[in-house]
Amino acid sequence: MKLLEYLLNKKIIYLDGATGTNLFDKGLEPGESPASLNLRNPGAVYKLQKAYIDSGSDVILTNTFSANPLNFKNAQYKEIIRAGIKIACRAAGKKGYVFGDVGPTGILIKPYGDGDFNEVYRIYHEIFKTFYKSNLKIFLIETFNSIIEAKAAFLAAKNYTDDILVSFSFQNNGRTLFGENPESIAITFEKLGAKAIGVNCTLPEVALEIIRKMAQVTNLPLIAKPNAGQVKIEKNRITHTISDKELADYFKDFVLAGAKIIGGCCGTTPEYIKMIKEKKVAPAKRIVRKEFYLASPKKIIKLEKGSLIIVGERLNPSGRKKIKESIQTNDFKIYAQEAIQQENNGAHCLDVNAFVPGIDEIETLKNGMYEVIMSSNLPVFIDTQNFKAAEYVLKFYPGIGVLNSVAARKKELLKWLPLVKKFGFKVVISLIGKSIPKNVEARLNNVRLALKIAKKIRFPADDIIFDPLVFSAATESEQIEHTLNTVAIINKMGYRTILGISNVSFGMPQRTILNSVLLANAIRAGLDFAIINPMDNALLATIKGAEALFYKKNIEYLNFAKMLSVNNTEIRKEDTGKDNLVELIINGDTNRAIELTERLLAKKISPQTIIDNYIATGMKKVGKNYEDGKFFIPDLLRAADTAKAVLDLLKKYFTSKAKKGKIILATVKGDIHDIGKNIAGMVFESAGYEVIDLGKDVAGEVIVKAVKKYKPIAVGLSALLTTTMPEMGNVIKLCRMNKINIPVIIGGPNVSDRFAKMIGAFAAVQNAFDGLKVLEKIEHAQR
């Protein structure tokens, strides 16, 4: 029996607790990475890890969370990893076991930033290779807040082992920094092959709710590593608001919620582990789940009999001249616009196709997907026949979607199904076979072939969606009956079906009539997925009517009918916000925002009026949506990008220097996490400030030099880690020593007004919009 399998057979696996926050008294300098002590003070690391083993930890994590080439130059991180493994193995002795601990790089990967997925994957590949060469083959990748980066790490680790556990950090609203929900994360990593999934570096009450939500959608063992509350300042030291005993009182709730692997994160100690080890709680019996799920970062779709899943068809250059022209001009904003419109009109998923003859489909599909991910909450069907393009997109997509489609031919199935399985996706299998099927039996023969090959290569049959094919009524009307009968038979066999409804009306007038009739009959036959135009109100009405008649969904039909009458038969409008610049900024619709700005300028509306009345108003509403939990990081980035594009246009019309001042931003020395800083920079620029971004891991001397050179109105310092927060105070001291009394704003998840006061900062902010309010106060005071 493999080691991890043996451990997972235990009732509870006890992990260790915090590392960094317990090393401040062991020689860890402010702003220094805790992993550096593997070389500089290995005895301190050993003593702490031995204390965890003695307190009852079954497993300790290597002190390597921050050991990567962005933190340590010249491959020093490899030496740190090797040293960390040796220390942990010595501390574990014969009483415990060791897992390799790997954290995020801090690189903001496209479409959220400029980072390249494959480059980040290569970084992680070298990290896991180093562990593997030292004979450590079980990993916990933890404290991630982006599925895309966690997926890069996970896929890199898969080159060396299948024993990978994954843990995410969540904000107080129960979402990650990027708005990703726990259900989507659990579904995604279960399909990728993780051995456990969970939460760490999160408040205990929030972590408990995360575990409960994950338990509803996954069969995986669940991990709970809560923080000891929030950071506080006590006797000039960084501590936490919850004691070991208070945190240990959550243990029973975590176990009953479904957690099996339990430890602690920031602020926890060996005493906490000892307390939870002494508690006797029987693990909860969890229901084995076999549901069919699709997942985007923010939304899951559960397939249930009697409910049709609508797949929006409009993101396809075939037959859509506007999309084809946009691809040819390398402008993919239309993918965002169409995605939003289809979602607003009732689509549950989006079919995404970007094939234009003569243009690199890897690039077009990738860029189209970036826009869809940023603008829509819906899972996707990746519609391509290009293997390399499919491989590229399936690799980075932050969720579980569907590949559309693979022909029911042996050669194609053997080529495509392993790729789909590798990335946890579902697949549409087209029943076209070696030739176009003419009847039901020919279609069912292709079903049998696909199932036989799927079984041979261990591809889950439950992840297959069969397409019985729709032909045009103009040329092959006799095929309609065969299609519908095939849907009914496959439905009785217990498998899923999908149809491209609009194919039936190709070449015919009044296409909606034929589409509606086929759709109603297909629903009656048990169709699961329909690829349709969700902007066609008649088709939406058909779905509601058919579900009421055939599946007794009368309440849903009555609610739909009420909405229909209220809107005078117009279900939804396609172009909401078309002439409202504020709304276009809020929705991140850059192309139309530019067009409307040009029209406003043509009407002699001054650039400053546009900034004051439209951009400022729009960004304030974006900030309010963020504070209310309606918007997340992708929404902020999209809106800020649009506002900045409008500002760039307006700059041409200014005859004098803009009113707004300069701002210097920097992530302090020892901290490479600059997601929050980057977002703040975009928001400040969209508000008209000139931002000088010094980057991450910036020494205080560099910041002082920049202040003298640029003479900004304020400095913004960022720190994600509690271990790097003291460096903010060092920077402020250095400024004062150089007789620089500029306002310093500190930002990060753990900063507070009390901490700001202690180190002499002007203010502490939790997000970019709070920072914007502080900047406005500073600017007003300096006028």
Side-chain angles (χ1 to χ4, degrees):
M1 182 183 292
K2 292 177 65 177
L3 173 57
L4 184 58
E5 185 180 349
Y6 162 75
L7 288 170
L8 290 175
N9 282 332
K10 293 168 66 73
K11 290 184 178 181
I12 300 290
I13 298 174
Y14 294 88
L15 299 178
D16 56 14
T19 297
T21 53
N22 286 312
L23 290 175
F24 275 124
D25 296 332
K26 308 293 188 299
L28 185 66
E29 299 293 336
E32 184 181 18
S33 169
S36 64
L37 266 64
N38 291 349
L39 301 179
R40 195 168 62 76
N41 190 356
V45 178
Y46 169 79
K47 187 176 180 181
L48 175 62
Q49 292 182 334
K50 184 69 165 54
Y52 279 123
I53 290 293
D54 292 342
S55 295
S57 293
D58 298 309
V59 174
I60 53 174
L61 302 174
T62 56
N63 180 34
T64 53
F65 174 80
S66 56
N68 62 59
L70 282 81
N71 260 340
F72 298 96
K73 308 302 181 185
N74 302 322
Q76 188 186 25
Y77 75 94
K78 295 182 179 181
E79 187 181 354
I80 287 171
I81 289 173
R82 289 190 288 265
I85 293 170
K86 289 179 181 178
I87 296 167
C89 289
R90 187 161 66 93
K94 295 182 179 180
K95 294 169 63 177
Y97 303 93
V98 176
F99 290 178
D101 192 32
V102 177
T105 63
I107 296 173
L108 202 56
I109 301 175
K110 294 176 182 175
Y112 306 126
D114 296 326
D116 178 74
F117 181 93
N118 286 332
E119 181 57 35
V120 175
Y121 170 87
R122 283 190 286 270
I123 290 171
Y124 281 117
H125 190 278
E126 286 299 310
I127 290 171
F128 289 112
K129 182 180 178 180
T130 305
F131 276 102
Y132 185 81
K133 284 185 173 181
S134 294
N135 204 34
L136 189 55
K137 302 169 187 176
I138 304 177
F139 302 116
L140 172 63
I141 63 173
E142 63 171 336
T143 325
F144 282 81
N145 50 42
S146 157
I147 293 177
I148 287 182
E149 187 178 6
K151 192 173 180 182
F154 185 90
L155 293 175
K158 284 281 282 184
N159 289 287
Y160 299 101
T161 183
D162 290 326
D163 294 338
I164 311 164
L165 300 82
V166 184
S167 183
F168 274 68
S169 176
F170 292 83
Q171 299 184 102
N172 294 352
N173 58 15
R175 300 278 188 124
T176 70
L177 188 64
F178 289 86
E180 298 164 347
N181 67 51
E183 295 92 338
S184 292
I185 290 167
I187 290 166
T188 298
F189 285 94
E190 179 169 19
K191 289 301 296 179
L192 285 170
K195 293 298 174 71
I197 186 72
V199 53
N200 77 293
C201 206
T202 300
L203 293 179
E205 62 271 23
V206 178
L208 180 60
E209 188 59 28
I210 300 302
I211 292 295
R212 287 171 176 155
K213 288 181 176 180
M214 286 183 170
Q216 294 300 308
V217 298
T218 182
N219 297 310
L220 289 176
L222 299 175
I223 306 163
K225 288 183 57 185
N227 284 345
Q230 296 177 319
V231 172
K232 68 175 183 177
I233 307 300
E234 196 172 71
K235 296 180 180 179
N236 291 336
R237 292 184 67 248
I238 297 175
T239 59
H240 286 74
T241 55
I242 295 178
S243 69
D244 286 326
K245 183 180 183 307
E246 289 170 325
L247 185 61
D249 288 340
Y250 280 91
F251 178 76
K252 180 179 179 180
D253 291 332
F254 276 118
V255 174
L256 295 180
K260 183 181 179 69
I261 304 168
I262 302 178
C265 210
C266 298
T268 58
T269 71
E271 186 64 23
Y272 160 73
I273 299 299
K274 183 178 180 181
M275 288 176 181
I276 65 172
K277 191 71 182 278
E278 291 171 349
K279 295 179 181 291
K280 305 299 179 184
V281 182
K285 291 184 179 180
R286 292 172 58 195
I287 300 169
V288 177
R289 303 185 182 280
K290 295 183 178 180
E291 287 92 347
F292 183 104
Y293 287 111
L294 297 177
S296 75
K298 296 181 184 177
K299 190 178 183 70
I300 63 170
I301 298 293
K302 179 181 177 181
L303 179 63
E304 297 178 291
K305 281 298 178 185
S307 292
L308 185 74
I309 303 298
I310 299 171
V311 183
E313 70 178 9
R314 290 169 61 89
L315 286 170
N316 193 328
S318 176
R320 297 290 315 280
K321 183 179 178 182
K322 192 175 178 182
I323 291 183
K324 183 177 180 180
E325 290 175 347
S326 294
I327 290 174
Q328 289 171 333
T329 58
N330 202 34
D331 181 1
F332 292 88
K333 292 296 183 184
I334 192 170
Y335 275 79
Q337 296 166 12
E338 289 284 357
I340 292 169
Q341 288 174 9
Q342 290 186 95
E343 182 172 355
N344 290 342
N345 279 269
H348 303 117
C349 300
L350 299 171
D351 189 69
V352 183
N353 185 303
F355 173 68
V356 174
I359 301 179
D360 184 353
E361 191 179 358
I362 296 176
E363 286 299 309
T364 60
L365 188 59
K366 175 184 70 174
N367 289 323
M369 280 303 308
Y370 286 160
E371 294 294 335
V372 171
I373 292 168
M374 287 292 286
S375 61
S376 171
N377 296 319
L378 303 183
V380 296
F381 280 57
I382 307 299
D383 190 351
T384 181
Q385 297 302 304
N386 184 314
F387 188 86
K388 290 294 184 182
E391 182 179 38
Y392 193 100
V393 174
L394 266 63
K395 189 175 184 180
F396 79 77
Y397 180 71
I400 298 300
V402 181
L403 177 71
N404 183 22
S405 62
V406 178
R409 294 188 285 264
K410 183 177 180 180
K411 183 178 179 181
E412 281 89 337
L413 291 168
L414 288 173
K415 176 182 179 181
W416 285 88
L417 291 188
L419 174 73
V420 177
K421 180 183 177 182
K422 178 179 181 180
F423 298 113
F425 266 53
K426 320 290 186 183
V427 66
V428 171
I429 294 182
S430 170
L431 299 181
I432 193 168
K434 292 182 179 179
S435 60
I436 297 174
K438 296 298 182 182
N439 53 39
V440 173
E441 187 56 31
R443 288 170 167 84
L444 293 178
N445 283 337
N446 291 331
V447 169
R448 296 182 192 107
L449 172 67
L451 290 174
K452 180 181 178 181
I453 291 175
K455 183 178 181 180
K456 181 180 179 181
I457 64 173
R458 297 184 179 180
F459 185 92
D462 286 345
D463 287 347
I464 296 174
I465 306 167
F466 290 106
D467 179 3
L469 306 175
V470 174
F471 299 100
S472 173
T475 56
E476 299 184 75
S477 59
E478 70 281 357
Q479 286 291 321
I480 305 303
E481 184 178 352
H482 294 297
T483 296
L484 292 171
N485 287 340
T486 305
V487 169
I489 293 170
I490 293 174
N491 182 41
K492 288 180 182 177
M493 292 170 67
Y495 299 111
R496 284 91 184 180
T497 53
I498 187 170
L499 292 177
I501 297 297
S502 61
N503 290 338
V504 75
S505 61
F506 185 77
M508 298 287 279
Q510 299 297 321
R511 297 183 67 179
T512 292
I513 297 172
L514 296 175
N515 294 345
S516 296
V517 173
L518 175 62
L519 183 57
N521 280 277
I523 291 171
R524 185 175 189 180
L527 186 70
D528 298 295
F529 297 86
I531 303 176
I532 65 169
N533 177 8
M535 313 304 289
D536 189 333
N537 295 335
L539 292 181
L540 299 184
T542 297
I543 292 169
K544 294 299 179 184
E547 288 180 341
L549 292 176
F550 306 137
Y551 294 104
K552 299 180 181 179
K553 294 202 167 189
N554 295 326
I555 294 175
E556 290 86 345
Y557 173 76
L558 291 172
N559 291 335
F560 179 82
K562 287 178 184 176
M563 181 177 66
L564 202 63
S565 59
V566 167
N567 289 301
N568 296 318
T569 75
E570 186 178 359
I571 298 172
R572 289 176 178 83
K573 295 181 180 179
E574 182 169 341
D575 274 338
T576 54
K578 186 174 182 179
D579 294 316
N580 187 330
L581 184 55
V582 171
E583 290 301 316
L584 293 175
I585 289 170
I586 292 171
N587 294 326
D589 194 337
T590 302
N591 287 352
R592 291 201 295 186
I594 292 293
E595 292 171 6
L596 183 51
T597 302
E598 289 173 338
R599 293 206 301 270
L600 293 172
L601 290 167
K603 292 178 181 178
K604 305 302 181 185
I605 297 176
S606 74
Q608 196 59 52
T609 298
I610 294 173
I611 289 173
D612 294 340
N613 293 354
Y614 294 97
I615 297 178
T617 301
M619 291 308 290
K620 282 180 181 177
K621 288 187 177 181
V622 169
K624 182 67 165 60
N625 286 343
Y626 182 73
E627 290 172 358
D628 292 344
K630 297 176 183 176
F631 270 21
F632 299 95
I633 296 304
D635 306 294
L636 301 190
L637 294 174
R638 196 169 65 246
D641 195 37
T642 299
K644 187 174 182 299
V646 173
L647 277 169
D648 288 342
L649 172 64
L650 296 176
K651 285 177 183 177
K652 303 174 187 176
Y653 295 86
F654 280 113
T655 56
S656 60
K657 202 164 133 181
K659 290 183 181 179
K660 303 285 187 181
K662 295 176 182 176
I663 313 296
I664 285 179
L665 296 181
T667 299
V668 296
K669 183 180 177 181
D671 202 318
I672 62 163
H673 301 85
D674 62 352
I675 291 172
K677 172 183 65 64
N678 292 343
I679 293 163
M682 288 190 70
V683 170
F684 297 164
E685 283 186 343
S686 70
Y689 292 96
E690 181 181 346
V691 174
I692 296 100
D693 188 343
L694 302 181
K696 55 196 174 186
D697 192 18
V698 183
E701 293 80 6
V702 175
I703 296 170
V704 169
K705 186 176 179 181
V707 172
K708 291 179 179 178
K709 178 180 177 181
Y710 295 106
K711 297 180 173 52
I713 63 169
V715 171
L717 300 179
S718 170
L720 177 70
L721 305 174
T722 55
T723 54
T724 57
M725 286 171 58
E727 180 63 18
M728 292 174 160
N730 291 341
V731 173
I732 293 172
K733 284 180 184 177
L734 197 58
C735 284
R736 303 303 176 248
M737 286 170 58
N738 282 270
K739 298 181 180 180
I740 297 172
N741 294 313
I742 191 169
V744 176
I745 306 167
I746 60 172
N750 297 309
V751 302
S752 65
D753 291 337
R754 186 175 177 183
F755 181 65
K757 186 176 180 180
M758 187 188 92
I759 66 173
F762 183 83
V765 297
Q766 296 293 315
N767 59 64
F769 291 97
D770 287 343
L772 195 58
K773 293 173 186 174
V774 173
L775 284 179
E776 289 171 350
K777 290 179 182 177
I778 292 172
E779 191 174 34
H780 180 74
Q782 291 181 358
R783 283 176 187 167

